[in-house]
Amino acid sequence: MTDRIDIISPVNLAQLDHILEKLRKPATYVAGATDIMVQKSRWEQAGTLIDLRTVQELVSTLEIGPEGILIGAALSFTDIIRYRIIQEKFPILVESCRQIGSVQIQNRATLGGNIANASPAGDTLPVLAVLNAELWIGPRLKDNFTKMSVDEIMTGPGKNCLQPNQYIAYIYLPFPEPTDPFWYFRKVGQRYSMAISKLSLAVLGWKHNNHIREIRICAGSVSPRIKRAVLTEKLLSNQELNSKVIEKAATQLMKEIKPITDIRSTHNYRKSTAGRLLQESLSTWARAGK
Amino acid sequence: MSEKKKPHSISRRKFLKNLGSGVVGTTVAMHGLQKISKAQEAAEPPPHTDRSPMTITVNGKQITTLVQPQTSLADFLRGQLQLTGTKIVCNHGECGACTVLLNGEAVYSCHILALDAANKSVETIEGLLEAEELHPVQEAFLDHDGYQCGFCTPGQIMAAQAILLQNSKPTRAEIMSGMSGNLCRCGAYPKIIESVMAAAEK
Ligand SMILES: Cc1cc2nc3c(=O)[nH]c(=O)nc-3n(C[C@H](O)[C@H](O)[C@H](O)COP(=O)(O)OP(=O)(O)OC[C@H]3O[C@@H](n4cnc5c(N)ncnc54)[C@H](O)[C@@H]3O)c2cc1C
Ligand code: FES
Ligand code: FES
């Protein structure tokens, strides 16, 4: 039984790594605390909280490389929405961040927290999956971060595969090919603000001569883990976008996802809505190409 | 207005009970690597106090005080500083009644720890008043009937103030999305939006 709470506030990554190396009892990371505040039992047991919002690199990094950007895991959604480079290159990410909670939540909640919390309803997860995001996991081993994809880190609802001493340090986003990308993000919930998704769909694609050259599709809240709909993607690639193909793709997506029934929605509702959303997105894309 | 709300909410009371009576908290802020080993020592029994020292600026005044580590900012403001203008309704980060500004940005004070606001600046509804003068946003809510029972109003006004600090001429749509995290049980939304639009005109 823990009878005290320690809050450790490392100021930089070197300190954080050093502390983790020395730490003998399990600790709980806190970033924006928007999930943690409603899971008090978790930190009651832990006794030690490690505040990631004091780690300078994690809260302030936005590095622009030749092929992508590196985002500190403890940047808030408000920070992310405000960066021009993210607005220009990753509008789909901005859209998903805008739809999280309310302004008050966006001001506090972090991208790393959304990933680590590993809720199948985490709104940025399908988006990060279609952006081929790479998660950089600390502490560094021989100066290197461990790299992981979004579908690798999540092992089930509320579960991630991180060891107690591991944390998400950065999110690396490769720039999507700049020529006419099509993107779509839609979240279906009880109401616009504050709703936990019943279902969400992220689509990113490119056409060439009226044919789909590449498409990435990921639905949220439809399975215990976040996984791209690879069979639907395969079915669509190299196809011309017409109503028959769109219909077939929607049917395939409904087959491919394995949603559950819970308090927010039913299996059947989720399936058919996912199909509808895909139809909506592809029809929009078909019209846009003309 | 006197409210019966005690500084400890139910969930917090339960929380304390679960922890046993000997809750001891420490904040270990470290500046410089050489202090780390000391911090590790601090993980062994520290000076026996159940409160952590904290410096915080509230409505422009810097305060240094002791706070129990598990106290929410809302409980701290209301219970310890007697700033009861900030309301607690859901105590769960969902309704917006407890909205205050933290370094100029709107946050739910019920949903963050007081220690999270250490070394930062907090502005509450009380801070808008200048002596006896109402703030233009407060005035606009009065002039345009931006409330009915008034219980959500301090939170609405602080959320509005956060928008206006960023953008002195917000559109209707910007106001609606910026304030979507503030519920009003009386459904005074049209008047609330009207009030914010009017405040922006001032
Ligand atoms: C009112 C309300 C509305 C919400 N609406 C939405 C919504 O619309 N969509 C949505 O997706 N979510 C929503 N959420 C959930 C939450 O805001 C998000 O999941 C948020 O991104 C969590 O980030 P955080 O920084 O607050 O995480 P925290 O609460 O600080 O942490 C969450 C978990 O992740 C761990 N953690 C945090 N950062 C790291 C890291 N860098 N490395 C390893 N572990 C880490 C913590 O230990 C904890 O287990 C809502 C929450 C509330 C209270
Ligand atoms: S009381 Fe804080 S959001 Fe409802
Ligand atoms: S005025 Fe009564 S809750 Fe908003």
Side-chain angles (χ1 to χ4, degrees):
Chain A
M1 186 84 203
T2 318
D3 60 356
R4 32 174 295 136
I5 306 167
D6 294 310
I7 302 178
I8 304 181
S9 313
V11 298
N12 58 31
L13 273 187
Q15 268 195 3
L16 175 61
D17 287 1
H18 189 92
I19 289 163
L20 290 171
E21 202 179 304
K22 290 272 165 72
L23 206 66
R24 261 168 253 111
K25 44 184 189 174
T28 301
Y29 300 107
V30 190
T34 61
D35 277 317
I36 277 281
M37 283 298 272
V38 288
Q39 307 164 350
K40 276 187 179 163
S41 61
R42 296 246 319 255
W43 47 285
E44 276 171 22
Q45 282 160 17
T48 304
L49 301 179
I50 300 183
D51 188 356
L52 297 179
R53 290 277 281 174
T54 55
V55 180
Q56 204 230 330
E57 294 93 330
L58 302 188
V59 287
S60 62
T61 298
L62 186 99
E63 260 174 50
I64 305 173
E67 284 165 29
I69 59 170
L70 196 64
I71 304 175
L75 257 70
S76 71
F77 293 125
T78 300
D79 295 334
I80 290 172
I81 290 167
R82 283 187 191 153
Y83 275 112
R84 175 157 305 166
I85 178 92
I86 302 183
Q87 292 169 5
E88 276 171 14
K89 303 279 187 185
F90 306 97
I92 187 172
L93 179 63
V94 171
E95 184 58 33
S96 64
C97 295
R98 276 219 177 96
Q99 294 202 23
I100 287 180
S102 57
V103 171
Q104 286 95 328
I105 293 291
Q106 289 163 17
N107 283 341
R108 299 280 307 165
T110 67
L111 189 55
N114 204 234
I115 302 167
N117 197 51
S119 159
D123 281 319
T124 65
L125 302 178
V127 171
L128 294 172
V130 300
L131 287 171
N132 287 340
E134 190 178 82
L135 312 175
W136 292 21
I137 309 298
R140 283 160 285 191
L141 305 169
K142 297 203 183 95
D143 279 342
N144 288 317
F145 291 97
T146 310
K147 313 274 169 74
M148 253 180 226
S149 64
V150 176
D151 63 335
E152 282 169 335
I153 194 169
M154 198 169 157
T155 51
K159 294 209 182 73
N160 64 47
C161 68
L162 298 180
Q163 300 296 314
N165 74 337
Q166 285 188 310
Y167 59 91
I168 305 169
Y170 299 105
I171 295 102
Y172 176 77
L173 298 177
F175 291 131
E177 258 184 71
T179 36
D180 291 332
F182 167 78
W183 65 268
Y184 173 95
F185 175 77
R186 181 97 191 260
K187 160 178 172 180
V188 179
Q190 215 78 295
R191 50 186 242 258
Y192 183 73
S193 194
M194 309 289 268
I196 299 176
S197 291
K198 289 179 178 183
L199 186 108
S200 62
L201 186 74
V203 179
L204 185 64
W206 293 265
K207 272 198 281 200
H208 182 68
N209 288 342
N210 223 22
H211 284 65
I212 296 178
R213 187 166 50 72
E214 186 184 345
I215 185 160
R216 303 178 197 159
I217 301 167
C218 189
S221 299
V222 295
S223 55
R225 299 174 50 180
I226 289 293
K227 272 200 293 227
R228 294 247 304 266
V230 283
L231 298 177
T232 313
E233 292 178 356
K234 215 162 152 192
L235 182 146
L236 280 165
S237 65
N238 297 320
Q239 298 295 312
E240 195 178 336
L241 264 185
N242 55 42
S243 52
K244 226 170 102 196
V245 169
I246 293 175
E247 188 79 43
K248 259 176 52 195
T251 312
Q252 174 59 46
L253 183 66
M254 292 197 291
K255 264 198 249 157
E256 194 169 357
I257 59 176
K258 305 248 174 322
I260 55 160
T261 293
D262 64 10
I263 50 166
R264 284 191 292 280
S265 194
T266 64
H267 167 95
N268 286 339
Y269 175 85
R270 286 192 162 113
K271 262 196 175 202
S272 60
T273 309
R276 289 275 184 77
L277 291 186
L278 185 64
Q279 269 176 334
E280 177 187 84
S281 67
L282 296 178
S283 309
T284 313
W285 194 12
R287 281 196 302 274
K290 278 174 188 155
Chain B
M1 200 194 293
S2 97
E3 275 134 30
K4 293 277 147 60
K5 201 120 197 166
K6 299 210 183 72
H8 292 178
S9 66
I10 293 167
S11 54
R12 280 225 9 253
R13 232 182 280 136
K14 184 170 140 260
F15 174 59
L16 287 172
K17 217 166 95 192
N18 287 351
L19 285 175
S21 50
V23 181
V24 177
T26 50
T27 316
V28 194
M30 286 156 294
H31 303 280
L33 273 169
Q34 63 282 16
K35 287 206 184 150
I36 286 181
S37 54
K38 233 176 146 195
Q40 291 307 314
E41 281 164 29
E44 310 309 321
H48 266 266
T49 157
D50 59 352
R51 295 168 156 226
S52 305
M54 161 176 99
T55 298
I56 182 174
T57 304
V58 179
N59 298 331
K61 260 188 247 140
Q62 187 171 322
I63 304 165
T64 298
T65 181
L66 294 172
V67 61
Q68 284 194 324
Q70 66 274 32
T71 304
S72 74
L73 179 58
D75 282 339
F76 169 75
L77 292 170
R78 292 174 50 84
Q80 229 163 303
L81 302 187
Q82 307 296 313
L83 293 173
T84 51
T86 300
K87 303 302 176 203
I88 299 177
V89 176
C90 69
N91 209 6
H92 227 78
E94 305 223 2
C95 74
C98 64
T99 302
V100 300
L101 305 190
L102 184 63
N103 285 352
E105 296 199 324
V107 296
Y108 295 139
S109 62
C110 74
H111 210 237
I112 66 178
L113 297 178
L115 282 177
D116 244 346
N119 306 318
K120 293 182 185 147
S121 151
V122 172
E123 185 153 17
T124 70
I125 187 80
E126 288 89 348
L128 292 187
L129 215 61
E130 281 206 31
E132 297 292 295
E133 285 283 298
L134 286 182
H135 187 273
V137 183
Q138 292 174 306
E139 233 169 48
F141 270 71
L142 267 182
D143 293 347
H144 295 264
D145 294 333
Y147 55 90
Q148 285 180 34
C149 77
F151 210 75
C152 70
T153 314
Q156 302 282 3
I157 289 179
M158 295 318 285
Q161 173 68 355
I163 296 173
L164 295 171
L165 283 176
Q166 293 277 335
N167 176 359
S168 58
K169 290 273 169 282
T171 63
R172 203 182 167 78
E174 282 165 344
I175 294 172
M176 283 174 68
S177 81
M179 298 191 53
S180 63
N182 289 73
L183 301 186
C184 172
R185 290 170 299 178
C186 301
Y189 298 110
K191 295 282 189 185
I192 291 172
I193 292 162
E194 203 179 295
S195 306
V196 185
M197 302 282 284
E201 295 295 313
K202 294 197 180 197

